[in-house]
Amino acid sequence: MSEDTGKIIGKLLRDELDERERQRLLRDKRVEERMRSQWETEEMIPDPIREERIWRRIRLAIDGRTTRRVWLYKAVAVAASLLLLVGTGTIVYWASHQEARYMYVIASGTRSIESVSLPDGTLARLGPNSKLTYPSRFEGGRRDVRLEGQAFFDVAKDPGRPFTVRTDHMDVTALGTAFEVFDQAAEDKLEAILLNGRVRVGFGEGGAGGRREVVLEPDEMLVYDKRTREARVRRVDAATYSGWREGVLTFVNEPLSMILTRLEPWYGRKVECPPSIAEKYRFTFKVRDESLERILSILSNTSPIRYREKDGEYELYLRPE
């Protein structure tokens, strides 16, 4: 395998391939041969749960809302085939035991909420534009999953094996509890919200700020600013914050800065807003099936804030006096 092809596989596993690299990988003779061989020799063993999940994704893909997610599943299959071919270990597939162990990737699209039952019985619900990676089975004394974006977890009790959600900037560990994690790569602030039980949240980087830990009680939310490295814990109604699980975003006297971090991944659109405006104005409202422009129009009609569309994004500013 050439060094260039190896780099493409690495980007594939990180979901960073551009369209040209995807097409090049799919045209690779070894990929084609391996996929044909698997198609012709693999036993078709039905899995009702997996079949229903795949069928749901096919129906959504027909509406044109999940193109990227569909590719992601193809990408994992291709990666597994290539890495089997060259005989190397990977996070997608390895056969160090008699039974193969896989890593699964679940991704959600714009205004799409995905639910999945993890191998230990933990229920996870992904917010829009999020990605969860987890193993086909948890081994050893830990249960670790990796999250990019937003998800709610109802953790199966297993005192002997801590359950940990890892993101780029935060680790949230629980023994048996329900909590939400929010860490979008494009946002400065990350959050952990506890519905019940107790969780230990590790956050921050090395250096001046140092690595810190906080234990949250029910209805507490940790907000950590990745830019300033400031952290604070405040009391909230956790059930209201996690209402997005039922397809409803609820904001009660929340600053615009927090509201925008929820609206952007929900609609898949960027909304630029100066900090002087985002931190000053607060709003109370619910979002169900309204368009983003409708929401911005309502904000504009109830405050001095105005908006305009620019290069596919929205920009907020104050009404001239």
Side-chain angles (χ1 to χ4, degrees):
M1 181 174 61
S2 69
E3 181 180 355
D4 193 33
T5 302
K7 290 180 179 178
I8 290 179
I9 295 175
K11 293 180 70 175
L12 166 67
L13 297 177
R14 297 189 299 273
D15 192 24
E16 296 175 355
L17 287 182
D18 58 35
E19 188 59 32
R20 180 182 58 82
E21 291 168 327
R22 291 175 184 176
Q23 293 302 322
R24 175 180 172 186
L25 191 59
L26 290 174
R27 288 195 300 268
D28 190 293
K29 289 293 185 183
R30 291 167 296 176
V31 176
E32 182 181 353
E33 291 171 1
R34 181 70 194 186
M35 296 300 280
R36 182 184 296 111
S37 173
Q38 287 183 330
W39 177 266
E40 293 174 350
T41 61
E42 188 69 21
E43 294 184 9
M44 298 301 290
I45 304 175
D47 181 338
I49 296 177
R50 190 173 302 171
E51 285 178 358
E52 171 59 27
R53 195 176 296 160
I54 292 172
W55 175 235
R56 186 171 69 248
R57 282 166 175 73
I58 292 173
R59 294 200 308 267
L60 290 174
I62 293 172
D63 294 334
R65 292 179 291 173
T66 55
T67 303
R68 180 177 176 277
R69 182 174 59 196
V70 170
W71 160 256
L72 184 59
Y73 283 91
K74 290 181 179 178
V76 172
V78 173
S81 294
L82 273 179
L83 290 160
L84 275 170
L85 198 64
V86 299
T88 60
T90 172
I91 62 169
V92 174
Y93 176 92
W94 67 92
S96 57
H97 301 281
Q98 195 171 26
E99 181 185 353
R101 182 171 183 243
Y102 294 88
M103 294 296 285
Y104 293 109
V105 179
I106 301 294
S108 58
T110 300
R111 301 187 73 173
S112 172
I113 298 172
E114 290 293 325
S115 298
V116 61
S117 179
L118 302 183
D120 64 334
T122 292
L123 299 177
R125 197 148 200 190
L126 270 69
N129 289 312
S130 300
K131 182 167 67 175
L132 180 68
T133 304
Y134 63 96
S136 57
R137 63 179 182 276
F138 293 111
E139 296 181 335
R142 301 197 62 84
R143 295 174 289 165
D144 290 2
V145 300
R146 182 160 187 81
L147 172 69
E148 297 177 30
Q150 177 184 23
F152 182 89
F153 298 89
D154 191 352
V155 181
K157 293 184 182 296
D158 188 348
R161 295 193 302 168
F163 182 91
T164 300
V165 179
R166 302 190 184 279
T167 75
D168 285 343
H169 304 91
M170 176 172 58
D171 298 334
V172 181
T173 301
L175 294 178
T177 185
F179 62 94
E180 177 182 336
V181 178
F182 182 90
D183 187 359
Q184 291 282 359
E187 302 296 339
D188 288 333
K189 294 181 180 179
L190 57 84
E191 300 169 4
I193 306 168
L194 181 61
L195 188 67
N196 59 59
R198 297 181 73 190
V199 294
R200 183 177 68 251
V201 185
F203 58 94
E205 312 293 340
R211 183 75 174 174
R212 287 170 279 172
E213 286 190 351
V214 169
V215 175
L216 295 183
E217 302 291 340
D219 285 327
E220 286 188 339
M221 177 174 72
L222 167 74
V223 180
Y224 175 69
D225 192 313
K226 294 180 280 190
R227 181 175 48 83
T228 65
R229 296 187 178 181
E230 295 179 352
R232 61 189 178 96
V233 175
R234 64 187 182 97
R235 298 287 299 179
V236 298
D237 183 348
T240 297
Y241 267 85
S242 299
W244 58 266
R245 293 176 291 154
E246 308 303 325
V248 179
L249 295 180
T250 301
F251 305 106
V252 180
N253 194 31
E254 293 293 349
L256 187 58
S257 57
M258 192 283 282
I259 293 173
L260 293 179
T261 62
R262 294 298 199 272
L263 292 181
E264 288 180 335
W266 186 262
Y267 290 101
R269 300 285 294 275
K270 184 69 178 175
V271 182
E272 295 288 348
C273 183
S276 58
I277 299 177
E279 299 297 339
K280 180 179 180 180
Y281 293 91
R282 292 175 173 266
F283 298 91
T284 297
F285 62 94
K286 291 186 177 182
V287 178
R288 292 183 176 87
D289 55 1
E290 297 84 357
S291 68
L292 178 56
E293 187 158 0
R294 173 62 176 161
I295 297 299
L296 297 179
S297 177
I298 293 174
L299 299 184
S300 178
N301 290 331
T302 57
S303 73
I305 298 174
R306 297 294 179 264
Y307 70 96
R308 54 182 165 236
E309 190 171 4
K310 182 180 179 181
D311 299 328
E313 299 179 351
Y314 288 100
E315 182 180 26
L316 303 187
Y317 63 96
L318 288 180
R319 178 184 61 205
E321 297 183 359

